[in-house]
């Protein structure tokens, strides 16, 4: 695991911990994805699909709901 990947996971985890404990417990995670520019968490809570993308270049997290 490289430095950028570790930072992305740390930031995503910190953001995830802002959710209620109930939502954290209900979350069903899918396989993490990454490429040269992004690290992606894909999970589901109460039949809603979430995709959180950490952008390496800017250090921001983009949150999408499907």
């Amino acid at each position: 695991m490289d430095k950028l990947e570790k930072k992305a996971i740390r930031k995503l985890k910190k953001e995830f911990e802002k959710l209620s404990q109930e939502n954290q417990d209900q979350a069903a995670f899918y396989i993490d994805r990454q490429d040269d520019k992004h690290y992606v968490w894909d999970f589901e809570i109460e039949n809603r699909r979430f995709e959180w993308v950490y952008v390496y270049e800017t250090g921001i997290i983009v949150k999408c709901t499907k």
Side-chain angles (χ1 to χ4, degrees), residues 19-44:
L19 297 175
S20 71
Q21 186 63 48
E22 181 181 349
N23 282 343
Q24 289 180 42
D25 293 344
Q26 291 177 357
F29 278 85
Y30 297 92
I31 297 173
D32 296 356
R33 301 183 317 271
Q34 76 177 100
D35 58 27
D36 293 342
K37 297 181 180 191
H38 313 95
Y39 193 92
V40 181
W41 269 11
D42 193 10
F43 58 95
E44 189 174 302

Side-chain angles (χ1 to χ4, degrees), residues 9-24:
I9 292 170
R10 187 175 66 246
K11 296 275 188 172
L12 286 164
K13 183 178 179 186
K14 187 174 182 178
E15 193 67 24
F16 183 76
E17 290 171 347
K18 292 179 182 178
L19 297 175
S20 71
Q21 186 63 48
E22 181 181 349
N23 282 343
Q24 289 180 42

Side-chain angles (χ1 to χ4, degrees), residues 15 46 55:
E15 193 67 24
E46 295 179 352
V55 182

